[in-house]
Amino acid sequence: MKKHLPGLITILVLLILSALVVLPMGDGILFGKPVQLGLDLQGGIHLVYEADLSGVADEDKDATIEGILGVINNRVNPLGVSEPNIARQGENRIVVELPGTELSDAQKQRIGSTALLVFGEIAGADEEATWVNELGRWKPATAEIDGVVKELNSSYFNENTFVTTGQFGGIELNFEWNGEGSAISEAVTTRLVGDRLGIFEGDTALIGDDGLPIAPTVNTVITDSGVITGLSTNEAQLLSRQLNAGRLPVPLEVIYENTVSPILGADFVDLSLLAGIIGIILVMIFMTVFYRLPGLMASVALLVYVVLVLAIYKLVPVTLTLAGIGGFILSIGMAVDANVLIFERMKEELRARRTVGAAIEAGFSRAWSAIWDANVTTLIVCAILVWVGGSVAAGAPVQGFALTLGVGVLASMFTAMFITRTFLRALIGSKAAKNLKLFTTETGDQNA
């Protein structure tokens, strides 16, 4: 017993430190870190956008994606979402995770839209129309500046648009042109005084509060600044934020969306916790009934394993999703599987009339190669799943499952080969080790 006292003390210290990290589950006493829950457990939105980089040179693609990340970050901040995650996935995808919130379809669209307002004029009968609505056929309003024909659009706005209430109580979206925009605007509005100037976003006209396309009549020449009227307050504020946040350099398309309400996420947490507790209790009962004293020792080691793994999840940190919890529970089974291999080898040694001490050492030695092979192959699969999960739009749950399973497998190897082994070695020479019935259900001569 004294020989194995350092090992037992090490396990006790490890258990206490891990428990201080884990408890309370909100913020642990040690390091004060909470368990990171995925969007499917705390509620929120997971969006994956795909950028159209077909017109971007290869050497500029990284800079383009970085620019998109900055613009989306600026657009998300005004939504008041705490701890949003905006990251690149693969070559041309952007992952946006907004925990604990719900967005309207319009807000989701706003995050990834190009936010380019284009001003249009009525197209002639023999001219091709870009837009058609109840107000007529429209083409982009253009002007020739220094010999180059340029389109009047919001890319020439200074990033200081704002919303005010006009003299007659209407909502006004105020904007300013930069130097080049002023020149284009002056040329266009000089030509269109008395005519309508339509405002379009993408393929459709900007719709006013009355449900009709916004197309104010040009009353005077506009040079440095202007206003857009007819918008609702909410629409004008959203548009102002988006224009100030910058324009996306390339179009984005939502290719994956997963929304979970906070209430449903809380239910998932409760069910997962219940399933985990029931599973651990059943495994402990099984091990104790079938393997008796070694099984009881393995059950105690299993509790240490659970606390240790949860501490690692908090410290790394590992974001727990519903699939991730599945990986954790599966790793518990693999931790027990290692003990089953060891205990079956021990039984064989006891049937061969070896002493309990010799059977324990032989059991661990003979089972090690099988445990190593099984766990290494599992770790290889986990690495593949992490790689595959990072290359597909809906791959976050796959990555979460692989990560929690991989961490659990590594911890299970340590638990089986060090903690369980130390517990059993500490029994050698004790009165319990002389009772063979405590080690196997099979009868035989006692050799300890």
Side-chain angles (χ1 to χ4, degrees), residues 286-297 340 342-357 359-360 424 427 432-448:
F286 170 82
M287 293 298 292
T288 304
V289 169
F290 280 85
Y291 296 104
R292 305 208 170 177
L293 188 56
L296 180 61
M297 295 294 101
V340 169
I342 294 166
F343 297 158
E344 288 299 325
R345 297 294 182 273
M346 286 174 56
K347 279 185 176 181
E348 293 174 1
E349 297 300 321
L350 290 173
R351 283 196 291 267
R353 298 179 181 276
R354 305 282 294 272
T355 64
V356 170
I360 291 173
L424 291 177
L427 292 175
K434 298 181 183 301
N435 187 354
L436 198 59
K437 292 182 179 178
L438 293 177
F439 287 83
T440 177
T441 56
E442 300 173 16
T443 58
D445 296 334
Q446 182 162 330
N447 300 312

Side-chain angles (χ1 to χ4, degrees), residues 116-117 119 141-146 148-159 175-191 197 221-226:
L116 179 67
L117 299 183
F119 294 85
T142 59
E144 185 173 329
I145 306 296
D146 298 330
V148 179
V149 176
K150 296 187 177 181
E151 180 184 84
L152 185 65
N153 59 50
S154 62
S155 65
Y156 301 107
F157 281 5
N158 289 322
E159 293 179 0
F175 62 88
E176 291 181 0
W177 295 112
N178 60 21
E180 190 173 8
S182 294
I184 303 172
S185 176
E186 182 177 6
V188 169
T189 55
T190 298
R191 177 166 47 83
L197 190 65
V221 176
I222 301 173
T223 54
D224 298 332
S225 63

